[in-house]
Amino acid sequence: MSVLKIKKLREDARIPLRATEGSAGMDLYACIEESVTIPPHTIRVIPTGIAIALQSREYAAFLYARSGLAIKRGVAPANCVGVVDADYRGEVCVGLLNQTETPVVIEPHERIAQMVIAPVIQPEIEVVDTLDDTARGAGGFGSTGNK
């Protein structure tokens, strides 16, 4: 994929940018007219003012936390990772969860998440009566030890 089409839905929207050449993600910016306060343990949906078009259903946009916002201020995407499907054309918004005991303020044009474009495999679904055996089998959480 060589082109990501981005449409500004509001004039003051900022186009996502990579902070460095090696950055996997592009910073997404809050497209808000005034500061938004997120009370403790509360979610607020923050618009970015952009819509995107992925060229193929073989890709999706994934919205991840910005480490500075998550680690330093305790605010991260409420759904851990947001997924923007290839056929979605609405505004990209980020649901932010304040995980702290104090209110957190999001300022206009603040970087609120990072967007990574990644391939998606859409396999054919086959319903079967049995699955092949593995050494792990049905061992679940913690079944491989604490090493």
Side-chain angles (χ1 to χ4, degrees):
M1 181 168 119
S2 58
V3 175
L4 171 64
K5 294 180 181 179
I6 298 175
K7 178 181 178 181
K8 288 176 79 169
L9 302 175
R10 287 188 286 288
E11 192 166 320
D12 64 332
R14 293 204 175 161
I15 300 302
L17 295 173
R18 286 183 176 81
T20 67
E21 279 186 31
S23 296
M26 296 170 267
D27 288 328
L28 292 176
Y29 301 86
C31 188
I32 51 180
E33 293 181 13
E34 55 191 35
S35 300
V36 171
T37 298
I38 308 175
H41 309 290
T42 302
I43 298 169
R44 290 286 184 265
V45 176
I46 308 296
T48 65
I50 64 165
I52 65 172
L54 297 160
Q55 291 185 319
S56 163
R57 69 184 188 117
E58 295 175 352
Y59 295 93
F62 298 91
L63 310 182
Y64 294 98
R66 291 198 69 258
S67 59
L69 194 57
I71 303 297
K72 294 178 182 175
R73 295 175 57 200
V75 176
N79 56 344
C80 295
V81 177
V83 178
V84 181
D85 296 312
D87 57 352
Y88 177 67
R89 294 297 181 268
E91 183 171 16
V92 174
C93 294
V94 181
L96 291 178
L97 170 62
N98 177 358
Q99 302 172 77
T100 72
E101 299 299 328
T102 59
V104 174
V105 177
I106 301 298
E107 299 293 343
H109 304 296
E110 182 174 343
R111 295 177 295 170
I112 57 170
Q114 57 182 320
M115 178 172 65
V116 175
I117 309 302
V120 174
I121 297 171
Q122 296 183 341
E124 296 291 324
I125 303 296
E126 179 183 352
V127 178
V128 297
D129 292 327
T130 61
L131 299 174
D132 50 324
D133 290 326
T134 67
R136 182 177 183 172
F141 298 107
S143 66
T144 59
N146 296 339
K147 295 180 183 177

